[in-house]
DNA sequence: GTCTATAAGAGGATAGAC
DNA sequence: GTCTATCCTCTTATAGAC
C-alpha cells in the first residue's frame, strides 16, 4: 500500500463530510481517526476545500463512468429499451452506492456557503456530462416517433431527473428498497406519463 | 411596536438559518443587519441555539394550527373528501409559505450536529401532532370501507407523507407550481394507488 | 434595552525539525 | 512523510457601564 494514509484520510473525510456536513467537519477530528497530526494531512491536501472537492469529483467521476458503461452495454437495443434499462440498472447501482448519492444530494440541495460557488460550477459541469448521454437516447426516441417531438430534449431530461430523485428519496429518507416488480411498475407509470406529457 | 427589535432579529435570523444553515450563520452578521450589537441580541435570547429553536418551534406551531383549522372547516364532509380537501388546501398553503417548508426540510434532512439531538426530539413531537389529525381521517376512511383495512393507519400516513414530500420537492427544487387541474390529477393518481396498496 | 470591552475557545493553516 | 509547536482568525458568550 503506497498511499495507505491517503486512503484512510479520504475514507474518513467522506464519512465526516457526509454525516456532519462541511462546516461541522474539522481537520482535527479527521486526523484523530486517521491517527496522524493535522500538519501531516496538509502534506496530501493543501486545504480543507481541496480535500472536499477531491472527494466530490471522484464520486461524480465514478457515477458518470458507470452511466457511460451501462449505455455502451445496451447500445444494440432500441432507444426506448435502452432508456428503460438505463433507469433500472442505474437505480440498482444507486442502491448499492446509496451513500454516494446521499453525499451529492446533500451538497446540491444545501451547499455550505464557503464552497457554494465552486459546487454550483462543478455541478453544472457534471450534469452536462450526464445530460449528453441521456440526450442521445431521448433524441433517438423522438426521431423514431417513440416520444412526442412537441417537447424538447431538455424538458424530457428534467422530467426524468425528477423521477429519479423521487425514487432516490424513497431509498434515502424512507429506506424503501423496491424489488424488480415494483421497479417495472414504476417505470411503466413513468413512461406512460412521459410520452403523454 | 413594543418589540420591533425582536421582530427584526427573528426575521433576519430566519433568512440566515434558511439560506446559510445553522453553522454558517453567525450572531455578528445577524446583528449587523438588525443594526444592534451582539450583546443586545443576548438580551432577547440566551444562546444561538435558543434563537434557532424559537424560530423552529414557531414554524411548526403555525403549520399544525393551519392543519387543525383546515380539518375543522371540512368537518361536515365525508372522510375521503376531507382527506382530499386537506391535501389540496395544505399544498396551497405550503406554496404560499414555501420558505417555511424549505426551512423544515433542510433541518430534518441534514440537521447540524450541534442541534441534531434536540431537532430529532422536537421533530418526533410535532409529527406526532400531525399524525393524530390525519390518523382520525384515515381511521374513519377504513371504518367506512373507503380504505383497505389490511394496511394500518401508520402505513397510510407514511405513504401520504411521501406523496406530500414529492409535491414539495417539485415546488422547492424544480420551482414547479401546479395549477388546480394538475393537483386534481395528482390526487386521483395518488388515491387510486393508495386504496389499491 | 443597548452599549463597550473582552474573555474563552475552536479551527484552519504554516514553519521548521527529524 | 510525519512530527512539535504555534500563529491567526473567527465566533459564541459574558461583565458591567449607561
Amino acid at each position: 500500500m503506497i498511499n495507505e494514509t491517503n486512503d484512510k484520510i479520504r475514507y474518513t473525510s467522506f464519512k465526516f463530510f457526509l454525516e456532519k456536513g462541511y462546516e461541522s467537519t474539522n481537520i482535527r477530528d479527521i486526523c484523530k481517526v486517521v491517527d496522524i497530526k493535522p500538519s501531516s494531512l496538509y502534506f496530501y491536501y493543501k486545504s480543507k476545500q481541496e480535500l472536499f472537492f477531491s472527494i466530490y469529483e471522484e464520486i461524480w467521476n465514478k457515477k458518470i463512468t458507470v452511466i457511460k458503461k451501462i449505455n455502451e452495454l445496451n447500445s444494440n437495443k432500441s432507444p426506448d429499451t435502452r432508456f428503460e434499462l438505463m433507469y433500472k440498472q442505474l437505480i440498482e447501482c444507486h442502491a448499492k452506492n446509496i451513500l454516494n448519492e446521499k453525499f451529492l444530494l446533500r451538497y446540491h440541495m444545501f451547499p455550505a456557503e464557503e464552497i457554494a460557488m465552486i459546487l454550483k460550477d462543478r455541478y453544472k459541469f457534471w450534469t452536462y456530462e450526464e445530460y449528453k448521454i441521456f440526450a442521445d437516447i431521448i433524441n433517438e426516441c423522438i426521431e423514431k416517433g417513440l416520444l412526442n417531438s412537441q417537447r424538447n430534449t431538455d424538458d424530457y431530461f428534467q422530467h426524468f431527473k425528477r423521477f429519479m430523485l423521487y425514487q432516490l428519496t424513497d431509498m434515502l429518507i424512507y429506506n424503501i428498497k423496491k424489488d424488480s416488480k415494483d421497479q417495472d411498475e414504476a417505470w411503466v407509470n413513468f413512461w406512460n406519463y412521459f410520452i403523454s406529457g
Side-chain angles (χ1 to χ4, degrees), chain A:
Chain A
M1 312 288 180
I2 294 167
N3 267 321
E4 206 181 334
T5 303
N6 191 22
D7 288 344
K8 272 196 223 168
I9 292 172
R10 297 178 70 77
Y11 176 73
T12 308
S13 303
F14 170 75
K15 282 209 305 183
F16 273 56
F17 283 136
L18 171 69
E19 285 159 23
K20 300 159 68 115
Y22 185 81
E23 298 102 330
S24 293
T25 297
N26 72 68
I27 305 290
R28 277 180 171 80
D29 287 344
I30 294 172
C31 290
K32 266 178 209 154
V33 175
V34 180
D35 199 26
I36 53 170
K37 300 294 163 186
S39 49
S40 300
L41 187 145
Y42 284 96
F43 172 77
Y44 296 96
Y45 303 94
K46 79 166 202 282
S47 67
K48 183 181 175 182
Q49 216 176 80
E50 190 184 285
L51 172 59
F52 174 85
F53 280 106
S54 166
I55 292 166
Y56 176 85
E57 291 287 300
E58 192 194 8
I59 294 173
W60 259 116
N61 196 34
K62 271 189 197 163
K63 183 173 167 156
I64 296 294
T65 305
V66 166
I67 295 177
K68 281 182 179 163
K69 207 171 168 184
I70 294 175
N71 195 31
E72 276 169 33
L73 282 171
N74 301 317
S75 58
N76 56 330
K77 308 274 194 341
S78 67
D80 55 338
T81 308
R82 225 158 77 224
F83 209 162
E84 183 178 348
L85 289 172
M86 185 73 119
Y87 164 71
K88 286 179 184 171
Q89 288 166 25
L90 206 50
I91 277 286
E92 209 173 309
C93 182
H94 285 177
K96 246 183 277 175
N97 304 302
I98 192 71
L99 294 184
N100 283 357
E101 291 303 311
K102 191 176 180 179
F103 185 100
L104 294 181
L105 187 65
R106 167 168 211 149
Y107 288 99
H108 296 154
M109 279 189 79
F110 303 112
E113 218 199 5
E114 200 186 322
I115 49 174
M117 278 183 63
I118 307 176
L119 266 174
K120 196 177 173 183
D121 190 61
R122 297 311 296 160
Y123 175 73
K124 201 174 159 188
F125 171 81
W126 286 111
T127 45
Y128 185 61
E129 292 298 302
E130 202 183 9
Y131 173 75
K132 283 188 287 189
I133 302 163
F134 281 99
D136 273 353
I137 303 178
I138 293 168
N139 285 335
E140 217 185 311
C141 284
I142 294 174
E143 277 167 33
K144 298 202 173 172
L146 299 163
L147 281 176
N148 197 319
S149 63
Q150 284 181 328
R151 284 166 60 193
N152 62 33
T153 314
D154 222 86
D155 277 352
Y156 278 121
F157 181 64
Q158 280 305 313
H159 195 148
F160 175 70
K161 288 280 278 181
R162 281 171 58 212
F163 174 58
M164 284 291 280
L165 179 64
Y166 180 53
Q167 301 296 327
L168 196 64
T169 48
D170 265 4
M171 290 197 275
L172 276 176
I173 303 182
Y174 298 102
N175 237 337
I176 291 172
K177 173 85 178 71
K178 288 175 181 152
D179 59 28
S180 66
K181 194 183 137 253
D182 288 335
Q183 286 301 349
D184 285 346
E185 199 184 311
W187 178 261
V188 170
N189 283 335
F190 166 71
W191 188 258
N192 285 338
Y193 191 61
F194 205 52
I195 55 178
S196 72

